Amino acid sequence: SIYYDWNEDGALDKATLEPAKPGEFGEEFHEFSITLSAVGGAKQVVGNDLFVEANKNPGAYLKLLPNGDVEIILDQTGIGASASVTVWTVSYLTERFLLKKYSYTFEDRVDLSKRGDCEMNLLDGEGKRNGSSVKFKPIEKEINRVDVNFQPKSCKLRFRR
């Protein structure tokens, strides 16, 4: 769990990423939730159990950035022929938790020509894919509406050669 005063009421709010259920192929789903403190009691404002990890090495975890943004990191680099890291950056804006950035890196450890990366700022419509700048129509997406298969069209990777 991580703590931050997102709603600026003077009390710490809580973000968690916890195992929710196993998948049919051994993958594990995690629930990402944020609970805001409030007069009269806490209120869960985010609840999404679609974040998946295929292995626990290193696995899924949260990181709090200095500006209060939260990174949901799915690190699949520990074992296997392919390695990937997906990062969703969540920001509290206009009293909603929005997906601000999406990044993805992939590497095939057997065929090193198959690798790629992207980092997209969804709110301003700018990013990089395999080292080249890209522009796209900005996307405003609440984190509650993101599923594990979400990837911006502008981030669809073409393998480097």
Side-chain angles (χ1 to χ4, degrees):
S1 297
I2 57 175
Y3 298 88
Y4 189 84
D5 186 12
W6 287 287
N7 59 356
E8 298 179 342
D9 66 352
L12 290 178
D13 308 309
K14 179 180 176 182
T16 60
L17 185 66
E18 297 180 358
K21 61 184 177 183
E24 69 179 282
F25 302 108
E27 71 274 30
E28 189 168 284
F29 290 82
H30 283 71
E31 179 177 12
F32 172 63
S33 66
I34 295 180
T35 302
L36 294 179
S37 59
V39 175
K43 176 183 174 188
Q44 182 175 337
V45 294
V46 172
N48 188 332
D49 67 353
L50 296 174
F51 296 101
V52 67
E53 67 173 319
N55 64 64
K56 296 178 179 166
N57 192 5
Y61 55 96
L62 297 177
K63 179 179 177 183
L64 180 65
L65 302 179
N67 66 353
D69 287 354
V70 176
E71 289 184 342
I72 304 168
I73 302 166
L74 302 178
D75 188 338
Q76 305 293 299
T77 58
I79 60 173
S82 61
S84 67
V85 177
T86 303
V87 179
W88 287 278
T89 303
V90 179
S91 288
Y92 187 66
L93 302 166
T94 61
E95 298 184 8
R96 298 177 300 156
F97 286 93
L98 300 176
L99 183 58
K100 178 180 180 181
K101 291 183 180 177
Y102 173 90
S103 69
Y104 178 75
T105 58
F106 170 85
E107 176 181 81
D108 185 319
R109 293 179 174 146
V110 176
D111 182 351
L112 296 181
S113 69
K114 292 183 179 178
R115 59 191 174 117
D117 59 82
C118 74
E119 184 171 335
M120 303 293 164
N121 185 320
L122 303 177
L123 299 179
D124 71 12
E126 296 183 0
K128 289 194 176 287
R129 181 180 58 221
N130 293 331
S132 298
S133 294
V134 294
K135 291 189 181 274
F136 54 94
K137 182 179 177 183
I139 301 167
E140 189 173 290
K141 197 166 187 74
E142 289 187 47
I143 193 63
N144 276 343
R145 303 195 187 292
V146 174
D147 73 31
V148 71
N149 296 312
F150 172 76
Q151 187 178 63
K153 288 181 184 177
S154 54
C155 201
K156 299 293 182 188
L157 296 176
R158 294 182 176 92
F159 295 127
R160 292 181 177 163
R161 294 279 176 207

